[in-house]
Amino acid sequence: MKNKRLLIIMSALMILSLFLGACAPATQEAVETEEAVGEETEAVSEETEAVVEEETEEAEVEQTTIRVMSFFAYDNPEVEAGVVEAFEAAYPNIDVELEMVPLSDIITKYKTLVAGGEAPDIISLNFENTSQIAALGALEPLDDYIASDGYDMSIYYDNTVGMYQMDGVQWAMPATFSDVVIFYNKTLFDEAGVDYPAEDWGWDDLVSAGEVLTQDTDEDGVTDIFGYALAWWPMYLFLNGADVLTEDGSACALQSPEAIEGFNKMVDLQSEGGIAPSRGDLATQGDWDMFIAGRLAMYPTGPWAVQPFNDSITDFEWDIAHHPAGAQKATFLFGNAYAMSSSSENKDAAWEFLKFATGPEGGQIRQEGKYEISTVKSVAENEFLNSLAGAFPESAIVFMEAAEYAMNPPKTPYWSEVHDAIWPELELALMGDLTVEEAMANACTAVNAILE
Amino acid sequence: MDMVKPLRKPRRSKGRRTYRWREALWGYLFILPNFLLILVFTLFPVLFAFGVSLTDWSLLSLPVFVGLKNYVNIFQDPVAKVTFKNTLLFTAMSIPLRIILPLLLAVALNQKIRGIAFYRTCYYLPVISASVAVSMLFMWILDTNFGLLNRLIIAVGLNPVGWLTDPQYALFSIVLVTVWRGLGFNMIIFLAALQDVPEDLYDVADIDGANALQKFLYLTIPLISPTIFFLIITGIMDSFQSFDLVYNMTEGGPARSTYLIGFYIWRQAFEYLHMGYGAALAYLLFFAILLITLLQWVFRKRWVFGER
């Protein structure tokens, strides 16, 4: 009798312990076993441990391992592996475990690891994600490392450094950037007798050139060539001196007269008789393909288009120019960076990696691997420009010049939420279902609710 | 030894009760692993989610108790309203198609024709295909610029349609893909039900001079109505929770036209890290499904055969 009850209880406990055991983190077990050891032995083992440590330190430099999670050049993993290899060669006492994760998954994966206390030492971020991750307290502020190391931040383009500063704190080291410029079809400009876009072009120049370039070549009532295609929507705020949020990021600023005017200009560009294809026009052919097909004279896009356009465009000449200014010069700055986890246990080693991977050495390897544009001026202005010699665009230096005045979307931790609140409303305004004022009133109600 | 003996020789009266209890104990012991699995992976998360829905929690920080605030906020959230509306519209459009098409197909595949197994397999294939694969396939077919469907439409001289890019059509496109994907499953269930209808009833109907349509409407439909009921109930539950196609194909756009509640819950919880709000939305969805299911359960007596 007794035996049997015991057996039942024991087997129930064993099954239960299987579940619990599977859930418990491995470290806890180690701690428990250590605790189980008597106090005396513990004291002794501590002593011996200390001795052992001292000895090894004298004998050879301690080997540290850092874990790096990265999406850089995910499709060509040998590029970032090359950066890691070069780093390990330069710092033989630091081993790097590199894990490549696609951009679409890396943030979710990182958040999960942070929540589970297993965050990697180094994480790659893009601009859009940095504020959210920093606001969660997952990142290590880098200012002290930069200051105590006397690290020269002027090797990077200023704006690419600034884009990872929130509330005066540097959260990440810029690795690559891209910015939006105008790609224009020289042949179409020549045929229409229009001057090429110049650096001092303003809004009226854009519209008047666009009107000449927009043509119905076979006179069937359907536009065959468009002068311009719309950029991502915040462009028309920036060009008009407006922004998405107020300066302190606490409220929606989309109902300001400048913002409304900017969006009205955007809507007009693609309305009936405008110079840009509307949603319906784009249904037949997207703007990217329109440009390749020679049906689009001016196309605002970034350096990622250079290689594909060189590969697929054979029947006309093209170049890049600054996006025409509105009330001010403006364009987008996007970028990728490396940051350090605040939970890292090897922060000094991680800092060495940050410097190396984003600095001239890492930048050079990535640039040779043709991954975006290095944020290191010397690398971008030599390696990047040289790599384009003999190919289009002739004025590739415009990418670097535009970086000087390029801007980024607001640095709010809620950016993805804010964006999702605005864009569907703006879509309705572009389709003519709402006026810009109505759309922005709706958007601001939602945005302010998010920021509360 | 000691352990087995009492099983063979049950004592009387009081002993009998302990014997039963012991017998039951063994039963409990045998279901314990399964019970623990349900406890850990179903019951616990469900209760945990309710706790979460009463908090403000970003997953990385500590949860803050806020009472029913999340639930109150849902009723002031215009986007939540849009997603509930879209979900209802999506369900209303997809359920009739998800019942009628598989039923017709099942009737067709219930005939004695050559290669019947081959056809049945073909129609069942989408069910076992990965949802991402189905999404990619249809994104290619429905693509505005290069899609197969628009190529066909242009070939017959019509204007291309923005199947996934025009807010007027996008939700309908998602309905079509959902129907296509679920066709095989519902068809198999209907097929089983059709084969349960006794042959002699049809013989009697023949003698009475009923034509094929009459036999179908007045004999087949009432006899398989329990199956129809089952498929409507599970279909509505399924369509209220739709997520993957929207996630893969449209991300809720354009202009929120395909923003379904399931996708909104995911976005709030895992993209915006509002775990509490996401859990509250999920609980509201749960109660909505519960209510609709109960209503159907009550009204089933009006039309389901054998429930009168």
Side-chain angles (χ1 to χ4, degrees):
Chain A
M1 270 294 289
K2 253 192 178 170
N3 276 347
K4 204 176 110 194
R5 190 171 296 155
L6 196 69
L7 181 83
I8 292 172
I9 293 171
M10 284 300 286
S11 38
L13 277 177
M14 271 170 68
I15 294 170
L16 206 66
S17 68
L18 276 179
F19 283 94
L20 295 178
C23 296
T27 44
Q28 202 173 315
E29 273 170 39
V31 171
E32 272 166 15
T33 40
E34 235 173 75
E35 273 172 356
V37 180
E39 263 178 49
E40 271 175 56
T41 44
E42 207 174 280
V44 173
S45 69
E46 248 172 49
E47 246 170 63
T48 45
E49 240 171 60
V51 174
V52 171
E53 253 172 48
E54 249 171 59
E55 275 173 359
T56 43
E57 250 172 59
E58 272 169 43
E60 55 178 286
V61 191
E62 208 179 326
Q63 198 71 12
T64 41
T65 302
I66 54 171
R67 282 165 57 222
V68 176
M69 204 158 92
S70 178
F71 63 82
F72 291 176
Y74 183 75
D75 298 324
N76 300 305
E78 69 277 2
V79 175
E80 206 57 24
V83 174
V84 165
E85 217 170 279
F87 174 76
E88 286 179 326
Y91 295 82
N93 57 329
I94 304 177
D95 292 326
V96 178
E97 274 176 30
L98 174 67
E99 186 188 359
M100 297 299 291
V101 180
L103 174 61
S104 51
D105 300 335
I106 198 165
I107 295 305
T108 317
K109 182 160 188 182
Y110 183 69
K111 282 178 198 161
T112 318
L113 287 172
V114 169
E118 298 280 331
D121 300 282
I122 301 278
I123 168 79
S124 66
L125 296 166
N126 63 1
F127 164 75
E128 291 88 328
N129 293 314
T130 309
S131 355
Q132 193 193 26
I133 298 293
L136 291 170
L139 300 184
E140 177 81 0
L142 299 175
D143 305 81
D144 290 347
Y145 296 87
I146 295 166
S148 66
D149 218 351
Y151 188 63
D152 181 13
M153 295 297 279
S154 71
I155 61 167
Y156 304 106
Y157 290 101
D158 279 351
N159 279 350
T160 65
V161 174
M163 62 200 288
Y164 303 103
Q165 282 167 1
M166 258 69 73
D167 305 320
V169 176
Q170 187 76 38
W171 293 107
M173 299 292 277
T176 67
F177 79 94
S178 45
D179 51 2
V180 169
V181 297
I182 289 277
F183 285 61
Y184 66 97
N185 182 328
K186 277 179 144 175
T187 309
L188 283 180
F189 272 78
D190 291 341
E191 283 168 4
V194 182
D195 289 337
Y196 298 146
E199 199 176 344
D200 61 353
W201 266 27
W203 191 265
D204 295 338
D205 300 301
L206 170 71
V207 174
S208 59
E211 276 166 357
V212 180
L213 289 159
T214 304
Q215 299 159 60
D216 173 10
T217 48
D218 55 6
E219 292 175 354
D220 62 349
V222 180
T223 309
D224 300 296
I225 297 169
F226 285 96
Y228 174 80
L230 291 185
W232 192 38
W233 59 268
M235 178 72 94
Y236 304 97
L237 295 177
F238 296 166
L239 286 172
N240 223 38
D243 207 338
V244 182
L245 304 180
T246 52
E247 211 156 298
D248 59 355
S250 66
C252 176
L254 294 172
Q255 284 176 290
S256 73
E258 294 82 16
I260 300 285
E261 194 196 340
F263 280 146
N264 270 322
K265 282 179 177 169
M266 178 187 184
V267 170
D268 289 345
L269 285 176
Q270 51 95 60
S271 300
E272 194 64 41
I275 61 170
S278 69
R279 185 179 276 280
D281 300 322
L282 291 171
T284 5
Q285 191 170 41
D287 43 12
W288 177 280
D289 297 300
M290 268 189 187
F291 187 81
I292 292 176
R295 294 186 53 214
L296 184 57
M298 289 179 276
Y299 181 33
T301 187
W304 54 84
V306 169
Q307 199 58 46
F309 284 2
N310 268 308
D311 291 342
S312 49
I313 296 173
T314 50
D315 51 356
F316 62 85
E317 296 198 340
W318 55 278
D319 200 357
I320 63 170
H322 292 270
H323 192 287
Q328 63 177 15
K329 279 174 95 98
T331 189
F332 296 120
L333 186 61
F334 302 110
N336 300 323
Y338 268 130
M340 190 194 301
S341 293
S342 51
S343 61
S344 167
E345 283 166 8
N346 299 303
K347 288 188 175 138
D348 292 330
W351 168 242
E352 295 302 330
F353 182 81
L354 280 185
K355 280 191 296 183
F356 186 93
T358 65
E361 297 96 333
Q364 179 72 23
I365 294 167
R366 230 172 268 123
Q367 200 68 80
E368 283 165 7
K370 293 192 194 299
Y371 181 62
E372 300 207 335
I373 306 178
S374 172
T375 49
V376 179
K377 291 178 197 165
S378 59
V379 176
E381 276 152 34
N382 294 310
E383 184 62 35
F384 177 70
L385 291 185
N386 289 342
S387 73
L388 288 178
F392 294 105
E394 202 182 313
S395 323
I397 189 75
V398 170
F399 284 126
M400 281 84 211
E401 292 168 358
E404 303 290 339
Y405 60 82
M407 304 157 93
N408 32 254
K411 297 167 189 166
T412 160
Y414 309 109
W415 171 245
S416 67
E417 213 170 332
V418 166
H419 179 274
D420 293 346
I422 298 167
W423 173 236
E425 302 295 343
L426 190 57
E427 274 185 301
L428 293 172
L430 287 169
M431 285 183 277
D433 293 352
L434 292 179
T435 67
V436 169
E437 285 86 349
E438 288 164 348
M440 289 309 110
N442 292 346
C444 274
T445 313
V447 169
N448 286 330
I450 293 164
L451 296 174
E452 243 171 42
Chain B
M1 273 301 283
D2 191 31
M3 197 179 78
V4 183
K5 224 193 291 172
L7 288 178
R8 282 192 192 149
K9 278 192 198 169
R11 270 178 251 157
R12 282 183 190 177
S13 61
K14 201 182 160 202
R16 201 172 182 82
R17 202 179 292 155
T18 50
Y19 166 71
R20 273 200 177 166
W21 161 237
R22 242 178 275 132
E23 192 82 323
L25 202 59
W26 277 106
Y28 285 124
L29 190 60
F30 281 125
I31 64 162
L32 186 65
N34 262 335
F35 177 69
L36 281 177
L37 280 175
I38 287 183
L39 201 68
V40 172
F41 293 108
T42 307
L43 211 57
F44 172 70
V46 167
L47 294 175
F48 183 74
F50 182 71
V52 169
S53 77
L54 303 176
T55 66
D56 197 349
W57 186 32
S58 77
L59 205 62
L60 302 185
S61 56
L62 286 174
V64 180
F65 182 79
V66 294
L68 291 174
K69 186 172 143 248
N70 287 326
Y71 290 92
V72 175
N73 284 351
I74 293 175
F75 292 95
Q76 294 158 350
D77 177 358
V79 179
K81 211 159 93 187
V82 169
T83 58
F84 269 103
K85 198 193 87 193
N86 283 343
T87 307
L88 283 176
L89 198 62
F90 174 76
T91 308
M93 282 199 284
S94 61
I95 293 299
L97 292 173
R98 286 174 76 167
I99 298 298
I100 295 167
L101 292 180
L103 179 57
L104 295 180
L105 204 61
V107 171
L109 293 183
N110 199 24
Q111 310 303 314
K112 293 178 183 68
I113 42 175
R114 228 183 231 244
I116 193 74
F118 173 74
Y119 291 118
R120 286 178 186 168
T121 314
C122 281
Y123 284 108
Y124 199 72
L125 265 180
V127 180
I128 54 167
S129 306
S131 139
V132 176
V134 170
S135 307
M136 295 319 262
L137 174 70
F138 272 90
M139 278 167 82
W140 182 67
I141 292 176
L142 300 174
D143 185 276
T144 316
N145 300 324
F146 312 102
L148 214 56
L149 191 56
N150 272 355
R151 293 281 133 184
L152 270 175
I153 288 174
I154 292 168
V156 297
L158 296 170
N159 283 328
V161 174
W163 294 108
L164 293 169
T165 50
D166 186 331
Q168 272 185 298
Y169 299 102
L171 189 62
F172 184 67
S173 302
I174 301 286
V175 168
L176 279 187
V177 182
T178 309
V179 170
W180 180 80
R181 196 165 58 136
L183 206 57
F185 181 79
N186 286 8
M187 177 199 76
I188 289 286
I189 306 279
F190 274 132
L191 210 50
L194 287 175
Q195 288 171 355
D196 267 356
V197 178
E199 277 296 316
D200 43 355
L201 287 181
Y202 290 114
D203 295 338
V204 172
D206 280 336
I207 293 166
D208 283 347
N211 64 28
L213 184 67
Q214 284 168 327
K215 278 191 283 183
F216 181 70
L217 288 180
Y218 302 119
L219 233 163
T220 315
I221 297 270
L223 283 171
I224 63 165
S225 58
T227 305
I228 299 179
F229 176 68
F230 165 75
L231 288 178
I232 289 180
I233 282 215
T234 51
I236 289 180
M237 287 181 189
D238 183 59
S239 88
F240 265 69
Q241 298 177 47
S242 283
F243 167 79
D244 46 354
L245 291 179
V246 167
Y247 174 77
N248 289 323
M249 296 174 72
T250 61
E251 298 204 353
R256 295 202 185 107
S257 57
T258 61
Y259 215 156
L260 300 183
I261 185 72
F263 184 62
Y264 190 49
I265 291 173
W266 171 81
R267 223 180 212 172
Q268 282 290 349
F270 297 103
E271 227 174 58
Y272 307 156
L273 293 183
H274 299 320
M275 284 291 157
Y277 193 65
L281 281 167
Y283 256 86
L284 203 68
L285 176 65
F286 167 74
F287 283 117
I289 294 175
L290 187 69
L291 184 73
I292 289 177
T293 309
L294 283 177
L295 281 177
Q296 293 180 83
W297 194 251
V298 170
F299 285 111
R300 85 190 188 284
K301 295 204 170 87
R302 298 265 176 93
W303 63 277
V304 177
F305 184 75
E307 296 280 356
R308 267 166 263 252

